Amino acid sequence: MITAYHQLRSTFTRLSRFEHLSAIAGWDMQTMMPPKGNLARSEALAELNVLHHQILTAPQVGQWLEQAEQETLNDIEKANLREMRRHYDNAVLVPESLVEAKSLAGARCEHAWRQQRINNDWAGFAENLREVVKLSRQEAEIRAQAAGTSRYDALLNLYEPGLRSSDLDRIFGDLKQWLPDLLQKAIVKQAKQPHLTPVGPFDLEKQRQLSLSVMALLGFDFDGGRVDVSVHPFCGGVPQDVRITTRYNEKEFTSALMGIVHETGHARYEQNLPREWLGQPISHARSTAIHESQSLLFEMQLARSDEFLKLLLPLAIKHFGEQAALTEDNFIALNQRVEAGFIRVDADEVSYPAHVILRYEIEKALIEGEIEVEDIPAQWNEKMQRYLGLNTEGNYRNGCMQDIHWTDGAFGYFPTYTLGAMYAAQLFQTAREAIPNLDQQIGNGDLSALFAWLQQNIWQHGSRYLTDELIIKATGETLNPRFFRQHLERRYL
């Protein structure tokens, strides 16, 4: 007898194959596709999204879910069914026409943004963004009415299930109490320790070769993924074929290098998700913040540590040759530099939360209808001056046009970066306690114990556990921001 649960398994396996095609087509769109292919690709992806939506929201899927909830299932199957129900409930609320319209508007906005950002063309960007915001508000209203929450909370739930903006206001409110002082103290301290800036140009092919060396050191499986160039770095693809990207700059190499480390953290998580459950919702990453915790654990906790930077330095010298700036002390100082800057993806870990809080406050107000697209530049400038002391008036390219997330309506995503940094600090400290000589192992270039700990506590579980359950099992408690504060104080003060 074919049970309702097995019917669901077959359906979600089929959906995962469409997701695979969509992921690779989306990766190609941002890396390889010639510009004139955008309209046709956008329409093809929108068609695929609609087909995915039709299959997921078909009446029999709802019936099978109700029937399967009465069947005898083991713990793994129950967790998978819970995730199936979550995907179905999220999808069935939104009409097919809105799915298609949002997909097309997002693709149009993102594609045009690539050139508009270069040209500092806020007026052109705003015209496309208005449509994305309009459709995102429609989706948020539908979801909010069904869930009995605010519009923003309804979108936040898509990225971080169960989280509310009231939780974020509490966490970020605490951050705003102590972070500005820590930032200023770190800047003052480092002002007494001047550093040399490496002198370029740095050949792009040599930077690519350095990237490959670092990815290998971090355990990236090149038989199951690749690295390419895009306007905005990202990790995409599927667990069996992970695609990461970076962007290179001939004038300096550390931004691209740390970007590679960050995306490799995402990739290692994807490459180590439970293979026996692939094609099922339980095999997905737990949440966006947990995904970001893996990339930020790699980039901030591991790669900016003294021990790891000492490993990176010989690789940098091998590719670019010796120079005065590439000494051990200077290289560490360079990669642990704290300064207020315009660009989020290049920000150090002390100033980074300010970038996230700024975006969170703006996107929340935008979705709730408290501000309009036209208000974003002024809001951005006011908050940049308040949080980081920088003026972005008229500088849209390095201000409110620098990110890709809003172009496709990913409202609710930004807060997960700082939540991820907090989870990363908590996880790394727990790993350090579990592996007493971890720092020494890192210094010796042996990362196997750290990766084994992550595999055991995070990677292998996929979405088997809810976020709080996963973190309690790994660290003994739910998210505790004190680990993040202690980490920053230890490293920078």
Side-chain angles (χ1 to χ4, degrees):
M1 174 185 169
I2 300 176
T3 65
Y5 177 77
H6 281 92
Q7 295 277 25
L8 289 168
R9 275 197 63 131
S10 298
T11 300
F12 277 88
T13 296
R14 187 179 177 209
L15 287 169
S16 75
R17 289 166 183 161
F18 287 125
E19 290 162 6
H20 185 157
L21 293 174
S22 182
I24 299 303
W27 162 84
D28 176 77
M29 195 175 190
Q30 296 191 49
T31 55
M32 304 290 183
M33 187 189 75
K36 289 182 179 178
N38 186 63
L39 178 59
R41 181 64 55 83
S42 300
E43 290 172 344
L45 282 170
E47 192 73 36
L48 203 52
N49 288 338
V50 168
L51 181 58
H52 185 282
H53 186 265
Q54 288 173 343
I55 295 168
L56 178 54
T57 60
Q60 67 263 32
V61 173
Q63 294 163 11
W64 288 333
L65 283 166
E66 290 183 14
Q67 292 165 12
E69 284 161 358
Q70 307 306 314
E71 293 173 354
T72 302
L73 304 174
N74 63 34
D75 288 346
I76 298 289
E77 290 168 336
K78 286 177 183 175
N80 195 34
L81 183 61
R82 180 199 69 220
E83 293 301 300
M84 289 173 172
R85 166 63 74 179
R86 184 167 68 87
H87 284 277
Y88 172 81
D89 287 347
N90 280 335
V92 78
L93 291 171
V94 183
E96 189 179 297
S97 58
L98 182 53
V99 171
E100 182 176 28
K102 197 172 174 218
S103 179
L104 287 169
R108 181 167 57 249
C109 188
E110 188 278 328
H111 186 72
W113 162 82
R114 301 180 203 182
Q115 193 60 43
Q116 287 164 346
R117 184 186 176 211
I118 293 170
N119 296 335
N120 202 41
D121 177 13
W122 165 253
F125 177 66
E127 187 173 338
N128 288 330
L129 185 62
R130 280 188 206 98
E131 182 67 13
V132 174
V133 170
K134 183 186 86 171
L135 296 170
S136 296
R137 284 174 173 171
Q138 289 177 18
E139 178 186 354
E141 181 62 30
I142 292 167
R143 295 190 182 284
Q145 287 189 8
T149 65
S150 70
R151 292 199 296 197
Y152 185 75
D153 281 356
L155 296 186
L156 183 62
N157 186 63
L158 297 175
Y159 300 99
E160 209 54 34
L163 190 73
R164 298 289 180 93
S165 52
S166 55
D167 301 318
L168 289 174
D169 291 339
R170 173 177 50 80
I171 293 168
F172 290 167
D174 177 65
L175 258 181
K176 288 195 285 188
Q177 292 296 311
W178 57 263
L179 192 67
D181 183 56
L182 195 156
L183 176 62
Q184 288 309 310
K185 283 181 178 176
I187 290 172
V188 169
K189 180 185 176 185
Q190 291 186 356
K192 301 169 187 172
Q193 306 161 337
H195 70 284
L196 296 173
T197 301
V199 178
F202 298 98
D203 180 75
L204 300 187
E205 177 55 27
K206 289 181 179 178
Q207 288 197 56
R208 193 181 82 84
Q209 291 301 324
L210 175 59
S211 297
L212 296 174
S213 299
V214 174
M215 290 167 68
L217 178 62
L218 294 170
F220 184 88
D221 178 6
F222 288 97
D223 288 333
R226 56 180 288 144
V227 60
D228 293 278
V229 175
S230 67
V231 176
H232 191 92
F234 68 91
C235 175
V238 293
Q240 308 94 314
D241 182 6
V242 179
R243 307 298 177 94
I244 73 172
T245 71
T246 190
R247 56 188 179 203
Y248 299 113
N249 179 353
E250 281 193 330
K251 296 177 182 177
E252 61 94 25
F253 69 91
T254 55
S255 295
L257 180 59
M258 286 300 169
I260 280 288
V261 174
H262 181 99
E263 301 306 337
T264 302
H266 281 305
R268 288 300 314 277
Y269 186 21
E270 286 289 321
Q271 290 182 333
N272 287 278
L273 287 168
R275 282 293 192 270
E276 66 273 23
W277 306 334
L278 283 181
Q280 297 301 304
I282 194 177
S283 74
H284 295 180
R286 173 58 255 166
S287 73
T288 313
I290 296 301
H291 224 311
E292 291 302 334
S293 78
Q294 300 309 288
S295 60
L296 291 168
L297 188 148
F298 272 53
E299 180 191 1
M300 299 302 185
Q301 299 292 323
L302 174 62
R304 294 189 194 272
S305 69
D306 289 12
E307 293 80 13
F308 195 85
L309 289 169
K310 289 174 185 176
L311 287 179
L312 283 186
L313 180 58
L315 294 175
I317 291 172
K318 175 185 173 183
H319 288 90
F320 304 125
E322 294 191 4
Q323 58 169 280
L326 295 183
T327 63
E328 196 170 271
D329 289 346
N330 193 73
F331 191 65
I332 291 171
L334 184 70
N335 283 285
Q336 293 180 358
R337 197 72 183 163
V338 175
E339 56 187 337
F342 291 105
I343 305 299
R344 175 186 62 85
V345 297
D346 294 338
D348 59 84
E349 59 183 331
V350 183
S351 63
Y352 194 102
H355 290 270
V356 170
I357 292 170
L358 174 154
R359 288 155 172 79
Y360 161 63
E361 291 175 349
I362 291 176
E363 70 176 16
K364 181 182 172 187
L366 194 62
I367 292 300
E368 298 293 358
E370 296 164 8
I371 64 171
E372 297 300 329
V373 168
E374 291 76 17
D375 302 317
I376 292 175
Q379 288 270 321
W380 193 284
N381 187 41
E382 185 271 322
K383 291 178 188 295
M384 278 295 277
Q385 293 197 54
R386 190 193 330 161
Y387 296 149
L388 290 166
L390 298 172
N391 189 323
T392 59
E393 188 174 1
N395 184 5
Y396 309 113
R397 178 174 56 198
N398 294 323
C400 55
M401 285 179 67
Q402 67 181 268
D403 294 301
I404 199 172
H405 303 65
W406 289 345
T407 64
D408 64 355
F411 297 100
Y413 191 114
F414 277 119
T416 65
Y417 284 116
T418 289
L419 293 175
M422 291 177 172
Y423 281 125
Q426 188 165 332
L427 290 167
F428 200 78
Q429 180 57 34
T430 307
R432 182 178 272 129
E433 291 166 3
I435 310 165
N437 61 342
L438 177 59
D439 291 335
Q440 182 183 339
Q441 291 186 32
I442 293 169
N444 293 333
D446 181 4
L447 306 177
S448 58
L450 175 62
F451 295 154
W453 190 90
L454 289 170
Q455 170 68 21
Q456 180 182 345
N457 289 282
I458 301 295
W459 297 346
Q460 69 165 332
H461 297 305
S463 280
R464 181 176 181 179
Y465 304 112
L466 299 177
T467 306
D468 280 354
E469 288 181 272
L470 180 69
I471 294 303
I472 290 171
K473 285 179 179 294
T475 71
E477 59 181 307
T478 57
L479 177 65
N480 188 338
R482 76 175 171 85
F483 289 98
F484 183 57
R485 182 174 183 175
Q486 287 172 354
H487 160 69
L488 294 182
E489 288 174 344
R490 185 167 56 240
R491 180 173 285 174
Y492 296 101
L493 298 186

